[in-house]
Amino acid sequence: MSATAVHSLWTTAADPITKIDAPKIEYGQLSPTLIVLGAAIIGVLIEAFVPRKARYHTQVFVSVVALAASFAAVVALAAGGYGTTKAGIAAMGAIAVDGPALFLQGTILLAGILGVFTFAERRLDPETHGNKVDSFAAQAASVPGSDSEKAAVKAGFTTTEVFPLLLFAISGMLIFPAANDLLTLFIALEVFSLPLYLLCAVARRKRLMSQEAAVKYFLLGAFASAFTLFGIALLYGYAGSVKYATIAQVVDGTIGEINPALADTMGNDALLLIGVAMIVMGLLFKVGAVPFHMWTPDVYQGAPTPVTGFMAAATKVAAFGALLRLLYVVLPGLRWDWRPVMWAVAIVTMLGGAIVAITQTDIKRLLAYSSIAHAGFILAGVIAASPDGVSSVLFYLGAYSFVTIGAFAVVTLVRDAGGEATHLSKWAGLGRRSPLVAAVFAVFLLAFAGIPLTSGFAGKFAVFKAAAEGGAGAIVVVGVISSAIAAFFYIRVIVLMFFSEPRPEGPTVAVPSPLTMTAIAVGVAVTLVLGIAPQYFLDLAGQAGVFVR
C-alpha cells in the first residue's frame, strides 16, 4: 500500500469530524476550589525556591490568605443566589453549585483555616538546639532514630510541605460533595485522600507509630477506592453514563431515547444494586461507619494530633456531602433498597462506637470511637430522606467539625517528657493543675455528649427529629440509648479531670501561641453559640438544603 493511498484514507476518514467545541468553564462558580488549588501549587513552588529560613512563615501566610479568600468566594456565591435560585451545574456537568455544596464547602474551609492554625503551632515543645519545633518530623524522608534524623533536628529543619499537602487535601474535599458525575467524585476522592495518607506519616514524636498509621490508612483506603471505582464501572454499565442526572433517569425509568446497546443492560438490576453497594461502601469507609471503621482508631492515635483534628472534622463533612448527593440526587428511585441497609449501618455504628469507646484508655482512641458513634448519629439524618434530613445533617456537620478541631487542639496542650500525654491516667487531676484547659475540654466533651446548651444537643435534636418524621422512630430510640452510653465515658473523663488527685509526676499544660488559642476559642464560641441560639444556623442549613438536579 503506497504512502499516498494511506494518506488519502486518513483524510477521508477524518473529514466527517466536525470541530471540537472548547469546554465552557464557569470560573467564577468554581473559584473557591480554584483559589485553594492555585495556592497549593504556589506552596509547592515555595518549597522549591524560597530559602529554608523563610518557608514556614511564607507557607502559613499563603495558606491562610488562600483559605480566607476561598471562603469569601463561597459567601459571595451564596449571596449571589447560587445556593438557592441560581443553583445549577457548572464545568460541563461535572460540578453542582447549589446550597448543600456551598454550605459544606464553607464548613470545610473554616475547618481548614483552624487546621492551618494548629499545624503552625511551634510553642508547645521546648526548643531544640535553639530552634522552634512543631508537631511534624524534622525530615520526613529520614529513618526514625537514624543519624540523618538527628542531624536534621540539630540543623533545625521543619517539614513545611505539610501546608501545600493540606491545601491539596482541602481542594479535593471542596470538589467531593459538589461532584455531579461519578468520575469527578472518584478524582476528588483521590485528590484529598493521598495528601492525608502522607500527613499521617510525619509526626515528630512516635515516628514509627505515625508511619504504621499511615500505612494502615493507605492500604485500607486503597481497597475502599478500588471498591468505589469498581462500583462506578458497574453503574456506568447499567446506565451508559457517569452523569448523576442520567443515572437517576435510568433508575426511575424516565429516560427518553434509549440506545439499543443500553437496552440490554438497563433491565439488569444486579449491575445497579452491586454498583451502588460498592460506591456507598467506599463513602462509608471515608465516614468511618461500622463495619468500615477499622482504620479509624489506629490512624487517629498514630497521626500527628493537628492532622487528626483536621481529618476527623473535614473528611466527615466532605464524605457525608457526597453520600447525601448520591442517595438524594441519583438514587431517590432506589429508596426502598438503600434505606434498610442504611438503617442497619446506622444502628451498628451508633452502638458499636459508643460501647467500644467505654473500654479505651487513650484519649485519641476514645475520640476516634466517639467520632464513629457520631457518624451513626449523622446517618440517622441521612435515612430521613427528606429536606429536613438534609438540613439537619448539614447543621450537625458544621457543629461537629468545630468541636472536633477544638478538642484535638486541647489534646496537643497536655504534655510530658515524651510529647503529648494521651493516656487517660495522666489526665487525672488536670482540673486542679490547669482549670481553664480542663474547663474548655469539658465543654467539648459535653457537646460531644449532646448536653443541652451545646451545639451537640442542637445537632442531635435536629437529626433525630428529622429521622422520627421520616418514619425512622426505631433509629431515634437506638440513638438516644447510644447517646446515654456515650455520655458515660465523656462524663468519666470530666470526673477524672476535676475530681481525682493530680499525680506528682503528672503532665504539664503547655502555653500555646495565639494560633492554637484562636482555634480553641473559635471552637468554644461556635459550640456555645450553636447550642444557645441555633435557630439562625438551622434556618441557614434549611435554605441550603436543596440539591440541584
Side-chain angles (χ1 to χ4, degrees):
M1 205 171 186
S2 70
T4 47
V6 171
H7 183 68
S8 67
L9 272 175
W10 182 73
T11 47
T12 42
D15 276 342
I17 295 178
T18 51
K19 67 177 180 25
I20 297 172
D21 290 326
K24 183 172 176 294
I25 305 291
E26 296 84 347
Y27 290 105
Q29 294 177 38
L30 302 179
S31 56
T33 313
L34 296 176
I35 291 169
V36 178
L37 260 178
I41 293 163
I42 292 169
V44 173
L45 296 174
I46 290 170
E47 286 301 315
F49 296 112
V50 172
R52 193 184 287 275
K53 286 276 180 229
R55 273 182 212 165
Y56 162 84
H57 294 289
T58 317
Q59 291 281 26
V60 174
F61 177 75
V62 168
S63 305
V64 172
V65 168
L67 293 172
S70 180
F71 182 72
V74 169
V75 173
L77 285 171
Y82 284 100
T84 47
T85 49
K86 287 193 199 168
I89 310 293
M92 301 185 69
I95 304 277
V97 181
D98 58 8
L102 292 175
F103 189 94
L104 294 167
Q105 286 177 340
T107 307
I108 291 165
L109 289 164
L110 290 176
I113 293 173
L114 297 184
V116 171
F117 287 171
T118 55
F119 275 43
E121 177 58 61
R122 301 179 94 174
R123 275 206 206 156
L124 298 177
D125 273 318
E127 293 191 2
T128 50
H129 307 289
N131 298 303
K132 290 181 177 176
V133 292
D134 53 18
S135 304
F136 302 99
Q139 195 166 21
S142 56
V143 177
S146 65
D147 291 340
S148 66
E149 186 184 49
K150 287 170 190 156
V153 171
K154 197 166 184 182
F157 290 0
T158 51
T159 305
T160 43
E161 295 90 337
V162 294
F163 295 103
L165 283 173
L166 178 76
L167 291 176
F168 278 120
I170 291 172
S171 62
M173 289 173 185
L174 294 179
I175 300 172
F176 200 53
N180 199 51
D181 68 46
L182 293 171
L183 283 181
T184 311
L185 180 84
F186 182 72
I187 290 166
L189 175 73
E190 292 306 297
V191 168
F192 84 75
S193 297
L194 296 172
L196 288 178
Y197 301 149
L198 288 171
L199 286 170
C200 287
V202 292
R204 180 177 284 269
R205 313 270 189 144
K206 301 181 182 156
R207 289 283 310 277
L208 287 170
M209 194 171 169
S210 169
Q211 290 175 353
E212 181 195 354
V215 170
K216 281 179 179 167
Y217 192 20
F218 170 65
L219 288 174
L220 290 168
F223 276 118
S225 296
F227 274 117
T228 308
L229 199 54
F230 198 52
I232 289 171
L234 293 176
L235 262 189
Y236 177 70
Y238 170 81
S241 172
V242 289
K243 283 193 167 36
Y244 282 6
T246 314
I247 299 170
Q249 286 175 333
V250 175
V251 172
D252 291 344
T254 55
I255 193 160
E257 296 175 21
I258 296 180
N259 185 338
L262 254 185
D264 296 338
T265 59
M266 273 170 56
N268 188 348
D269 279 351
L271 282 179
L272 170 67
L273 293 173
I274 298 170
V276 168
M278 289 184 134
I279 294 174
V280 168
M281 212 145 73
L283 293 175
L284 289 176
F285 170 86
K286 279 289 164 208
V287 162
V290 179
F292 314 105
H293 67 293
M294 298 314 278
W295 60 277
T296 314
D298 291 348
V299 173
Y300 278 29
Q301 188 183 6
T305 308
V307 174
T308 309
F310 167 73
M311 187 169 74
T315 309
K316 256 200 183 36
V317 178
F320 267 113
L323 184 66
L324 278 173
R325 192 175 294 279
L326 186 76
L327 296 178
Y328 281 59
V329 175
V330 186
L331 305 170
L334 265 191
R335 188 169 295 170
W336 301 112
D337 295 293
W338 63 252
R339 274 189 80 178
V341 179
M342 284 296 175
W343 268 68
V345 171
I347 287 172
V348 295
T349 305
M350 288 190 282
L351 288 174
I355 291 168
V356 181
I358 293 175
T359 63
Q360 299 307 311
T361 55
D362 184 278
I363 195 85
K364 283 168 83 174
R365 285 183 84 86
L366 187 139
L367 289 174
Y369 279 106
S370 140
S371 94
I372 292 168
H374 281 284
F377 298 139
I378 302 173
L379 278 171
V382 175
I383 290 166
S386 65
D388 278 355
V390 180
S391 60
S392 69
V393 169
L394 295 182
F395 179 84
Y396 200 120
L397 288 169
Y400 174 80
S401 52
F402 287 99
V403 182
T404 306
I405 291 182
F408 279 106
V410 173
V411 172
T412 61
L413 305 184
V414 183
R415 308 178 88 79
D416 57 16
E420 287 160 11
T422 56
H423 198 278
L424 270 179
S425 62
K426 296 190 176 162
W427 286 59
L430 189 73
R432 303 191 187 178
R433 207 170 250 139
S434 180
L436 181 64
V437 169
V440 166
F441 197 60
V443 169
F444 292 136
L445 289 175
L446 292 173
F448 281 135
I451 304 297
L453 298 184
T454 62
S455 59
F457 175 77
K460 270 186 190 163
F461 184 80
V463 168
F464 288 160
K465 179 168 170 272
E469 287 171 358
I475 291 248
V476 178
V477 175
V478 176
V480 171
I481 293 169
S482 306
S483 297
I485 297 170
F488 166 74
F489 60 80
Y490 296 128
I491 306 287
R492 194 182 72 185
V493 178
I494 295 175
V495 169
L496 184 75
M497 289 193 298
F498 287 101
F499 299 105
S500 34
E501 286 300 318
R503 292 186 172 185
E505 75 286 1
T508 54
V509 174
V511 177
S513 68
L515 293 168
T516 299
M517 282 183 195
T518 307
I520 295 172
V522 169
V524 172
V526 172
T527 303
L528 295 175
V529 169
L530 293 187
I532 295 164
Q535 199 53 51
Y536 170 75
F537 298 94
L538 284 166
D539 292 345
L540 195 66
Q543 289 165 7
V546 184
F547 288 101
V548 65
R549 292 178 194 279

